[in-house]
Amino acid sequence: VDVYALEPSARAIHALRQRLALGEKAQVGYGQALPFANDFFAAVVVSEVLEHLDDDVLGQTLAEMHRVLRPGGLLLGTVPARERLAEHLVVCLHCNQSFHRWGHLQSFDGARVGQMLGQRFEVQSIRERPFVNWATLNWKGRVAGAAKLLLALLGVHGSQENIVFRARKPLAADAAKAPGAANHRAA
């Protein structure tokens, strides 16, 4: 796999370049202005990013991911599921401003993810599931994690779950057949 990375922090990019020997394949930048050529990637992975973007930047980022994906290329990603943003607000002691403790600006459910992706991509799957970090858990945590996964498989969902999605950039022939194809190409 030929890996490229994008990150707003120059410090993080420097570390990636050193640790993974990515060189210029690791770029400082933002999703709404990807520093890569049209139709460059076979796949784009965007995990736990979209919830940090306001509506305008989110739309621009999705357009940019579409631009850099090859026809038939895959968009793979995750976002928190059904997050109640107001429950995670904190107040800065210095300026008295409220903000989300992790900087989240968006909340998603499966329908919203499908609608959002469906404007530019062919949605292949959207699943809601907990992420369980087995290596860090004791036996009680592993039992609870297994129960959460089992319940999710049965369609019972709780808090602190994620939406995992997979979508495909349409092939040129697919896009020409799609309703609203002229608008799709102009976007």
Side-chain angles (χ1 to χ4, degrees):
V1 175
D2 196 13
V3 175
Y4 286 71
L6 182 75
E7 163 65 39
S9 165
R11 191 172 173 178
I13 288 298
H14 177 74
L16 272 174
R17 286 177 175 170
Q18 299 302 311
R19 194 172 71 225
L20 301 177
L22 289 179
E24 293 304 311
K25 291 180 181 179
Q27 294 286 321
V28 176
Y30 293 89
Q32 68 267 32
L34 296 174
F36 305 108
N38 294 352
D39 302 329
F40 189 72
F41 293 109
V44 170
V45 177
V46 58
S47 184
E48 303 303 299
V49 171
L50 302 179
E51 65 274 11
H52 295 275
L53 309 178
D54 67 27
D55 289 335
D56 290 337
V57 174
L58 177 62
Q60 293 167 10
T61 299
L62 290 168
E64 280 290 279
M65 289 187 294
H66 183 272
R67 179 186 65 78
V68 301
L69 271 172
R70 296 176 189 151
L74 295 178
L75 175 63
L76 309 167
T78 66
V79 292
R82 300 171 286 100
E83 183 180 10
R84 294 185 187 118
L85 297 174
E87 291 180 4
H88 299 286
L89 291 179
V90 294
V91 177
C92 175
L93 297 175
H94 298 288
C95 68
N96 208 29
Q97 293 289 325
S98 295
F99 58 94
H100 189 278
R101 67 188 311 163
W102 301 296
H104 295 180
L105 301 174
Q106 303 279 346
S107 180
F108 297 97
D109 61 18
R112 180 163 184 233
V113 170
Q115 184 274 330
M116 176 183 72
L117 295 175
Q119 294 176 17
R120 290 184 174 85
F121 301 94
E122 294 172 359
V123 178
Q124 295 184 324
S125 67
I126 298 172
R127 292 186 347 222
E128 190 172 322
R129 58 161 295 191
F131 288 158
V132 180
N133 188 353
W134 300 105
T136 63
L137 298 174
N138 63 18
W139 72 269
K140 289 180 188 177
R142 289 179 184 197
V143 168
K148 284 183 94 172
L149 284 171
L150 179 61
L151 287 170
L153 285 172
L154 296 172
V156 178
H157 296 284
S159 63
Q160 297 181 349
E161 291 190 1
N162 294 75
I163 296 170
V164 179
F165 58 85
R166 176 186 170 119
R168 181 177 83 98
K169 180 178 178 177
L171 298 170
D174 296 341
K177 291 187 260 181
N183 292 338
H184 175 73
R185 278 188 240 111

